[in-house]
Amino acid sequence: MIVAGNWKMFKGPHEARAFAAAVRNLPSRAPGVEVVVCTPAVSITAAVQGLGADSGVRVYGQNVHWELEGAYTGEISAPMLLEAGATGTLVGHSERRQLFGETDETVRLRAESALEQGLRVIACVGETEAEREAGRTEAVLEGQVAVLPRHERLVIAYEPVWAIGTGKTATAETAQEAHAFVKSLHPTAVLYGGSVKPDNAGTLLAQPDVDGALVGGASLEVTSFEAICLAGAQAVAA
Ligand code: PGA
């Protein structure tokens, strides 16, 4: 069970350090849950410092370039993430796909490089509302999942785009159905993302093929992030 907070473009180093210090003991209170925070790149080192030596909370980046270095203004490589103290990264988040021209091909390149360099990867997939209404959900997921490498350090996050930041969570049944489909294509852990909150996390995480959560908005406050991690621990224990 993985509960990953995706901070998006929130929390600079100062806030990141304080948040990390506040959740450093969370893993011991949420047995069976791998707790992850995906911070802005400039806040990785501060988060790692705030967590201290033996916290168990993992710090990830939110994106990674496939080259190790070079003339790629604004990009960050896997060795740089590692040097800053991250142990993994997101790739292919729908905001990258929709707003920054990310394609299945660049997601593949990013995932492969990150894995090769020793990072863990959460690769995001998910259909838009128009694609779901047109009955294209499975075809879209198939295309997005097909390019992802099979690797023990890669997990997938199923994030229906219509559920991200909208408060419109997928029902447990819809999530379960999509997760089972994704797993039939690529056998790995599949996290659910899209308006996960403390009050719906328990039901979602209780689904047999929901192996964790990728949490945006509700991961920004210590209390709501903790509540979701504790719901994860309950689902593990059940
Ligand atoms: P949300 O974001 O929880 O705010 O919907 C999820 C995500 O984008 O990863």
Side-chain angles (χ1 to χ4, degrees):
M1 171 75 62
I2 300 173
V3 176
N6 173 14
W7 291 0
K8 309 192 179 187
M9 200 169 74
F10 293 97
K11 299 192 193 295
H14 185 76
E15 261 189 84
R17 190 188 309 271
F19 185 99
V23 299
R24 62 191 295 176
N25 297 321
L26 189 49
S28 59
R29 287 184 287 125
V33 178
E34 215 176 286
V35 181
V36 177
V37 288
C38 306
T39 78
V42 294
S43 301
I44 290 171
T45 302
V48 169
Q49 289 169 353
L51 288 167
D54 35 43
S55 143
V57 175
R58 294 187 167 143
V59 180
Y60 284 17
Q62 297 177 4
N63 194 20
V64 65
H65 196 265
W66 51 90
E67 294 293 345
L68 305 187
E69 58 183 11
Y72 302 102
T73 301
E75 293 287 328
I76 293 159
S77 70
M80 291 172 186
L81 287 177
L82 285 161
E83 187 180 340
T87 55
T89 185
L90 297 178
V91 298
H93 190 278
S94 67
E95 285 151 17
R96 303 282 340 154
R97 294 178 190 263
Q98 297 207 303
L99 305 173
F100 301 102
E102 193 77 65
T103 64
D104 289 340
E105 177 59 10
T106 54
V107 173
R108 177 183 73 78
L109 289 167
R110 293 182 201 281
E112 282 176 355
S113 174
L115 292 167
E116 211 166 287
Q117 296 303 310
L119 288 165
R120 294 166 188 276
V121 170
I122 300 175
C124 306
V125 301
E127 80 288 358
T128 63
E129 187 153 41
E131 288 164 344
R132 176 163 283 269
E133 277 168 7
R136 297 190 51 236
T137 298
E138 293 200 343
V140 168
L141 293 176
E142 242 166 34
Q144 293 174 339
V145 170
V147 300
L148 299 178
R150 294 193 177 197
H151 194 287
E152 57 177 14
R153 274 184 276 106
L154 181 137
V155 300
I156 294 175
Y158 168 65
E159 297 203 302
V161 178
W162 45 270
I164 294 178
T166 57
K168 228 168 118 181
T169 321
T171 63
E173 295 70 35
T174 304
Q176 166 57 28
E177 198 182 322
H179 282 228
F181 180 70
V182 168
K183 284 190 189 185
S184 75
L185 304 170
H186 192 307
T188 185
V190 180
L191 321 185
Y192 171 79
S195 299
V196 176
K197 307 287 175 205
D199 63 358
N200 60 28
T203 319
L204 287 161
L205 294 172
Q207 300 306 306
D209 291 311
V210 177
D211 306 307
L214 181 56
V215 187
S219 76
L220 295 173
E221 297 293 336
V222 171
T223 46
S224 47
F225 185 57
E226 278 188 352
I228 294 168
C229 291
L230 297 177
Q234 263 181 11
V236 171

